[in-house]
Amino acid sequence: MIAARFARLSAVCALLLGASFAGAAPASAADGACAEGAGVTVVVDFGDLGPQPLIRCAPGTPANGIAALQEAGIDVAGSQKYGLAVACRIDGKPGPDVESCAGMPSATAYWSYWHASAGGAWESSQEGAQTSKPVAGGFEGWAFARPKSANDLPAPPRVAPVRQAATAAPDVSQAGDVTFPWGFVIGGVVILLLAGAGVFVASRRRRRGQ
């Protein structure tokens, strides 16, 4: 009976120790860009509106620029007069204090629309987002512009249309380059010792009671 109980406790401790090692594995971080051949990457640069740029993947080849935003999970709202032929708000910005979205956006506060091939350079779109066809595997860019006058050209997104290289796995053959999770090992040993002590105490109490 005691041996079976100790075996069960040991199994539980082993599971806990294994989970500790699993939790110690390095987490991978993605920049949100599509993997090669997986879709069209959408970049939204909010400019001086505040939030950090969004980088999302629209799977496959979306039908147009508006569809790319939507299929990348980014909310887009058009103007009351022209609908989605004019992208007035992206991810809820700008707010009503900047743009009412009743008609055309202000000439000094609007979303500029861009294209790029992977690893290329941003180019201003010559078509509206509702008719422009994204290039397979390419990048779609949006940048909120506040030119000083209607004649000033908008700046492209400040995020380069480049996929981040995958992070290489650590070389376990170089022990000095890998941090060994001693804290988890010590914790597992302590759990095993406590379990063994509990079984020993229970065994002594049973013998005294006989």
Side-chain angles (χ1 to χ4, degrees):
M1 179 71 70
I2 295 173
R5 184 176 300 176
F6 181 74
R8 286 196 296 270
L9 285 171
S10 299
V12 171
C13 292
L15 286 173
L16 289 173
L17 186 58
S20 298
F21 276 110
S28 60
D31 66 345
C34 295
E36 186 174 357
V40 173
T41 300
V42 180
V43 175
V44 179
D45 184 348
F46 294 97
D48 62 2
L49 293 176
Q52 291 295 313
L54 287 178
I55 306 172
R56 301 279 177 80
C57 180
T61 305
N64 53 53
I66 295 297
L69 277 168
Q70 295 170 331
E71 291 171 22
I74 302 171
D75 183 60
V76 55
S79 73
Q80 297 171 23
K81 186 174 182 179
Y82 299 100
L84 287 174
V86 176
C88 186
R89 300 194 207 287
I90 297 179
D91 204 38
K93 296 178 175 54
D97 58 322
V98 176
E99 178 55 60
S100 67
C101 292
M104 290 294 290
S106 166
T108 56
Y110 60 91
W111 286 102
S112 60
Y113 178 44
W114 303 78
H115 309 295
S117 58
W122 289 114
E123 296 181 4
S124 180
S125 177
Q126 302 304 305
E127 290 186 65
Q130 212 171 27
T131 59
S132 177
K133 177 77 173 178
V135 176
F139 281 66
E140 292 275 291
W142 295 85
F144 190 71
R146 286 187 193 261
K148 294 180 180 179
S149 73
N151 295 323
D152 292 338
L153 296 177
R158 293 169 294 179
V159 177
V162 178
R163 298 186 185 94
Q164 289 187 1
T167 303
D171 184 1
V172 296
S173 65
Q174 302 295 326
D177 296 337
V178 180
T179 302
F180 194 79
W182 287 110
F184 292 112
V185 174
I186 293 172
V189 171
V190 169
I191 292 172
L192 288 170
L193 290 175
L194 289 175
V199 172
F200 177 74
V201 170
S203 175
R204 293 198 61 181
R205 285 178 178 175
R206 287 195 174 195
R207 289 178 181 176
R208 288 178 179 178
Q210 291 177 351

